[in-house]
Amino acid sequence: METYIWQQRGWPCLTWNFKELSSVLGEVRNRQGRLAGKMSLLESDLKKEIFLKFTTFDIIKSAELEGRMLDRKAVSLSVAQQLKLGARRQAIADPAIDRTVGVMVDTLLHFDQPVTEQRILDWKKRLSASGEEAEYRNTPLYRTEGNTEAFLCFRNASLIPDEMKRFIQWLNTAHATDPVIKAGVAHLRLRFIRPFEAGNGHVARTLTDLLLTRADRSPQRLYSLSSQICKQRDVYNRMMKKAQNGGLDITEWLTWFLYCLETELVETEKSLMRVLEKSKFWEKYRLIRLNERQVKMINLLWESKDRSQLTSSYWANINLCSSDTALRDIQDLIRKNILREKQSGRHITSYTLN
């Protein structure tokens, strides 16, 4: 029978080699500071717009990992209302979206509050699509291997309440450990305990978000661990399984966790720069007269990673207009120095932002 980490003598006193982690941890902390610095220089309305965009994205990605596809507009509206970002009060058609957004808002606005058992149970309830009361699982977990069932050797379900009490006490105890490291350890420990029948990953990511916000000492966190887990789901699962079957030293898991955060911070900084460039662009051309099709397509170009794939036929298809109308719109933007031609080969002309 396999030996699992929680069966090791000394659990849950996990260890790691800080010297191996110090370099990437320093890079993560540096990039967190750079993001915070850039945000502090923005004017209020743009700061709200960026915060709304990134928070909405984080919520959608975390739900996606649970197999839930949330409506972006509804999530954005709920975030704007609950964070008081200037949205007019409107009813949200899906109450489950409001509840899910409320959990994220709690981790952002109350990141410095203690994490209690009731708070975790409340997160679980609100993250559930049905909103049913949350309780710890009371049955063992099984997995299927071929035609046989093998006990998935996490702690006996009857021990979960005591294990959670011990975990929560550790969470609320001040440590010399860097809070980013603590976020990685907490994520792993909660996944190992698996206190609920389902949705443990969502609760673990919620807790990690809170601890990362605490590390930033600011509710305006712009990066999303859930986004990186979506992109690296197979690697994440492998790292989780490897840690589960390993010893109490979790240096390898924390190294991956930190590199994952670093990657996300790099991508977030690039996204932030695109938003800033877009804002400067519209400020420059605010007095230029444009029709709705032109505004729509310019915004599409800004949101695209490859801004050189615009053709007149694509313009016509997106706007449901004729090729002649599309070409007139494009030529008008060229005259206004907003677009420029770019030869794409085979005599096909594409256009890009100038």
Side-chain angles (χ1 to χ4, degrees):
M1 181 177 288
E2 291 177 288
T3 300
Y4 291 81
I5 190 171
W6 60 263
Q7 295 171 312
Q8 302 281 337
R9 179 174 296 184
W11 166 265
C13 296
L14 304 174
T15 63
W16 52 89
N17 187 328
F18 184 75
K19 286 186 178 180
E20 289 188 28
L21 301 176
S22 59
S23 177
V24 64
L25 175 62
E27 187 63 24
V28 167
R29 297 305 258 157
N30 178 50
R31 290 189 177 278
Q32 285 175 317
R34 285 170 56 175
L35 270 182
K38 288 179 179 179
M39 277 292 285
S40 68
L41 297 175
L42 302 180
E43 56 93 15
S44 178
D45 287 343
L46 182 57
K47 188 181 295 185
K48 288 179 181 179
E49 177 188 332
I50 292 171
F51 185 38
L52 174 61
K53 175 183 176 181
F54 280 93
T55 304
T56 299
F57 180 74
D58 193 5
I59 292 168
I60 288 172
K61 285 298 176 182
S62 193
E64 185 180 317
L65 285 165
E66 300 300 312
R68 295 176 61 198
M69 308 304 293
L70 303 183
D71 181 79
R72 182 178 295 273
K73 288 184 178 179
V75 172
S76 181
L77 176 60
S78 183
V79 170
Q81 291 180 164
Q82 294 193 49
L83 287 175
K84 297 180 172 57
L85 297 177
R88 291 184 298 174
R89 190 69 198 173
Q90 299 179 45
I92 305 295
D94 185 354
I97 287 180
D98 249 356
R99 292 195 302 269
T100 300
V101 170
V103 172
M104 176 63 79
V105 170
D106 179 44
T107 68
L108 293 172
L109 298 186
H110 308 118
F111 65 86
D112 54 350
Q113 298 300 308
V115 179
T116 63
E117 181 179 56
Q118 188 53 52
R119 193 175 184 186
I120 290 176
L121 289 170
D122 185 55
W123 287 345
K124 177 64 177 71
K125 174 185 176 180
R126 293 161 76 182
L127 290 171
S128 168
S130 62
E132 60 189 12
E133 291 295 330
E135 58 183 21
Y136 296 144
R137 62 180 172 89
N138 54 19
T139 57
L141 294 172
Y142 291 87
R143 68 182 178 195
T144 300
E145 295 182 345
N147 295 322
T148 63
E149 285 191 335
F151 184 57
L152 188 59
C153 295
F154 289 107
R155 281 194 178 275
N156 186 305
S158 65
L159 299 178
I160 286 176
D162 287 340
E163 188 67 34
M164 286 298 291
K165 284 184 174 65
R166 182 159 56 166
F167 175 61
I168 290 167
Q169 182 180 14
W170 171 81
L171 278 174
N172 294 312
T173 300
H175 298 98
T177 305
D178 187 283
V180 174
I181 296 289
K182 189 167 183 175
V185 177
H187 186 97
L188 197 65
R189 279 186 64 174
L190 190 59
R191 291 305 309 269
F192 286 162
I193 298 170
R194 298 191 75 166
F196 305 109
E197 293 287 352
N200 293 284
H202 210 165
V203 176
R205 290 189 299 277
T206 298
L207 177 60
T208 308
D209 284 342
L210 180 143
L211 294 174
L212 289 174
T213 306
R214 191 176 288 179
D216 286 343
R217 300 301 304 168
S218 168
Q220 292 188 330
R221 180 175 49 79
L222 298 183
Y223 50 96
S224 168
L225 178 66
S226 297
S227 170
Q228 281 304 310
I229 293 177
C230 274
K231 295 174 183 176
Q232 304 185 49
R233 189 179 304 192
D234 290 342
V235 180
Y236 170 80
N237 290 332
R238 286 200 302 272
M239 294 302 300
M240 190 68 61
K241 182 177 180 181
K242 194 170 184 179
Q244 170 194 330
N245 293 320
L248 296 175
D249 188 311
I250 58 169
T251 303
E252 189 173 2
W253 156 260
L254 287 174
T255 299
W256 182 83
F257 177 81
L258 291 171
Y259 275 117
C260 199
L261 276 179
E262 183 188 6
T263 300
E264 176 61 18
L265 285 162
V266 169
E267 293 180 4
T268 298
E269 191 168 353
K270 290 178 180 178
S271 296
L272 180 59
M273 292 309 298
R274 283 199 298 271
V275 173
L276 294 176
E277 289 170 2
K278 180 181 176 182
S279 176
K280 290 178 182 178
F281 171 89
W282 283 118
E283 176 64 22
K284 178 180 179 180
Y285 292 104
R286 70 186 188 282
L287 300 179
I288 301 297
R289 192 170 180 178
L290 303 172
N291 62 43
E292 289 184 8
R293 294 184 302 275
Q294 291 172 322
V295 171
K296 176 181 177 180
M297 297 306 292
I298 290 170
N299 281 327
L300 279 177
L301 283 174
W302 273 108
E303 292 165 9
S304 171
K305 290 184 179 179
D306 185 353
R307 299 174 190 165
S308 62
Q309 297 301 311
L310 177 64
T311 63
S312 58
S313 59
Y314 178 68
W315 185 293
N317 289 333
I318 292 294
N319 291 287
L320 302 178
C321 64
S322 68
S323 297
D324 288 343
T325 298
L327 196 55
R328 281 196 300 272
D329 285 342
I330 291 171
Q331 293 298 330
D332 179 55
L333 291 177
I334 291 174
R335 285 193 297 272
K336 291 171 178 174
N337 205 32
I338 293 174
L339 291 183
R340 62 182 173 84
E341 291 187 4
K342 182 178 179 180
Q343 293 298 132
S344 302
R346 293 188 177 181
H347 309 294
I348 298 174
T349 302
S350 65
Y351 306 89
T352 187
L353 287 171
N354 192 14

